[in-house]
Amino acid sequence: MPYTFDAKQTVPENLIRTVSEQIDRAIAELCDKSLDPPTAVHQARKRIKKIRGVLRLAREEMGELYVYENLLFRDAGRRLADIRDAQAALETFDKLSQKYPAHFRREACHTVRKGLEEGLRKVAGNKAYVEQVINDVVDMLRHARKRLKSWPLSVDHYSALSKGHRKTYRKGRRLFARVYNEPTPENLHELRKAVKYHWYHGRLLRGTQTKRMARYNASVKRMADLLGEHHDMAALRSMLLKHPERYGTYHEIRGLFKLLDRTQEELWRQAEPLGRLIFLEKPKYIERRMLEDWEGWKAAQAQKASVDVDAELSAAGMTGESLIGVGEDVMDDAVPDVSEKGELAASDKSRSSQPSGGAVAVTTE
């Protein structure tokens, strides 16, 4: 099923089902021999991030178990990071070289790319290392799946999710203000993660929301994508700085750094106004709208269920009124006619005074 709540399931059922599906898909992708390791790892890491998004949404009801599970899934994602980072750096470089071909001399482009390819081969080409990492993570995910039955989830209402949603939004709002004043790589990285999780929450609850919130979630996704690209540029810079001698002369690397700076500035210029809109309201007002949408969704589901029942009865040639009539007929046959003084009607009294077989005579006092 999609990464969203199903109207036919309770809140706990939706949470457990979503995490279970993401675990199963991550395991399947990591074990799929038709996928090259970097691709399989990339897909699995996205699944793990979605799981951590669910955990953040349900954190209030999970209590201390949230911290435990969140750390385990975080460690699983980090275990795969080296394989993915090498691939991501190469992909980011290729995007830059295609978008700004005039800024890349052929020799410089070739030298830098050759160095990035070598870095990827050292990690992904080490089959024993890759297999060990994948096997470790698959084991971690399988054990996590077994623990799902013990998750303490019971509340079937938005209140089970509201504090987790509000906390993620509040953190994003605070980080946005911090980045606005101090746009350091560290602050931008933390903001990116908060916006990403806020978007995951919107995806999970999108079936419950109005068109207004759907437009809001589209803005959140756009900002998450822009900050994701910004992070890719920062990751590429970090990789180049580790061993600059592998990627060409100082002049060639300096030119690439300038291009990275320019691209990151442009990405932030696009993300900043979106952040102003997304984090405009205080958390309590966002939660109020979310609750209103949830209650409207539940009411619509109840109305739909009622309409479905009426349609089934109509198809069977029965209506609510006919069912009441049938009930009245049955009661007329089953219950003796009693007068206002509590006495049986004459016809019923005569029948009741003459029991047959093992029947007990009915009398009134």
Side-chain angles (χ1 to χ4, degrees), residues 8-25:
K8 297 179 181 179
Q9 294 182 321
T10 64
V11 169
E13 288 171 344
N14 271 298
L15 294 170
I16 296 297
R17 186 258 309 161
T18 303
V19 173
S20 178
E21 288 177 349
Q22 295 303 315
I23 289 176
D24 289 344
R25 290 172 185 173

Side-chain angles (χ1 to χ4, degrees), residues 197-209:
Y197 286 125
H198 187 44
W199 176 56
Y200 282 149
H201 293 173
R203 289 188 64 187
L204 284 166
L205 298 172
R206 63 180 180 267
T208 72
Q209 297 169 352

Side-chain angles (χ1 to χ4, degrees), residues 26-302:
I27 292 174
E29 288 158 351
L30 289 172
C31 296
D32 188 349
K33 300 302 181 183
S34 67
L35 296 176
D36 62 277
T39 300
V41 164
H42 180 45
Q43 291 299 113
R45 277 171 55 83
K46 289 195 292 185
R47 304 290 183 195
I48 291 170
K49 290 175 183 178
K50 288 180 179 180
I51 292 170
R52 295 182 70 195
V54 175
L55 286 169
R56 277 166 168 72
L57 195 60
R59 66 193 303 166
E60 183 66 22
E61 195 173 2
M62 291 191 69
E64 293 181 357
L65 185 60
Y66 159 76
V67 177
Y68 176 78
E69 294 288 358
N70 185 53
L71 289 176
L72 287 176
F73 281 109
R74 182 204 66 183
D75 291 345
R78 286 182 176 179
R79 191 83 172 87
L80 300 167
D82 287 345
I83 301 172
R84 172 55 192 164
D85 289 348
Q87 176 73 18
L90 185 59
E91 291 174 354
T92 301
F93 179 81
D94 286 344
K95 287 180 183 178
L96 278 174
S97 62
Q98 291 168 11
K99 188 174 181 179
Y100 305 106
H103 295 273
F104 285 81
R105 290 189 296 112
R106 181 172 298 179
E107 297 80 4
C109 182
H110 176 74
T111 304
V112 174
R113 196 179 195 286
K114 185 178 179 180
L116 293 171
E117 287 176 340
E118 180 63 25
L120 178 59
R121 275 195 299 271
K122 284 185 177 181
V123 179
N126 187 340
K127 292 185 178 181
Y129 169 76
V130 171
E131 287 180 4
Q132 184 61 55
V133 168
I134 288 178
N135 289 337
D136 289 347
V137 174
V138 168
D139 286 342
M140 295 170 74
L141 293 174
R142 284 174 175 161
H143 282 95
R145 199 185 194 291
K146 293 178 181 178
R147 295 194 303 270
L148 292 181
K149 295 179 181 179
S150 65
W151 282 17
L153 304 174
S154 59
V155 178
D156 185 23
H157 189 264
Y158 180 68
S159 58
L161 314 172
S162 60
K163 289 186 178 180
H165 183 272
R166 183 167 63 249
K167 191 166 186 175
T168 300
Y169 176 82
R170 183 186 292 115
K171 183 177 181 179
R173 194 168 188 260
R174 185 174 63 250
L175 286 167
F176 178 73
R178 185 183 301 171
V179 168
Y180 189 79
N181 294 314
E182 298 178 60
T184 64
E186 294 77 17
N187 288 341
L188 279 159
H189 178 56
E190 291 302 315
L191 175 62
R192 177 188 68 85
K193 292 191 294 184
V195 173
K196 191 80 168 184
Y197 286 125
H198 187 44
W199 176 56
Y200 282 149
H201 293 173
R203 289 188 64 187
L204 284 166
L205 298 172
R206 63 180 180 267
T208 72
Q209 297 169 352
T210 60
K211 291 182 178 179
R212 173 186 59 183
M213 288 303 293
R215 291 192 295 270
Y216 173 87
N217 288 333
S219 297
V220 177
K221 182 183 185 305
R222 176 58 179 159
M223 185 177 183
D225 289 343
L226 289 168
L227 292 178
E229 290 184 48
H230 191 286
H231 174 69
D232 290 341
M233 302 295 162
L236 175 58
R237 175 194 297 275
S238 177
M239 187 163 290
L240 293 175
L241 285 173
K242 284 182 181 179
H243 303 284
E245 70 281 357
R246 295 180 181 176
Y247 306 107
T249 66
Y250 170 76
H251 176 73
E252 292 164 347
I253 297 298
R254 185 181 62 177
L256 180 56
F257 283 166
K258 288 182 178 180
L259 183 59
L260 288 171
D261 288 339
R262 187 184 312 167
T263 304
Q264 286 181 299
E265 289 172 2
E266 176 58 30
L267 289 167
W268 176 244
R269 276 198 295 270
Q270 296 179 53
E272 189 267 339
L274 290 172
R276 286 177 175 272
L277 292 173
I278 292 166
F279 298 113
L280 174 65
E281 296 184 300
K282 293 183 177 180
K284 64 180 180 180
Y285 296 121
I286 287 288
E287 283 308 296
R288 186 179 300 172
R289 288 216 305 268
M290 295 289 290
L291 179 59
E292 289 173 356
D293 286 355
W294 178 276
E295 297 291 356
W297 178 62
K298 282 295 183 181
Q301 293 301 319

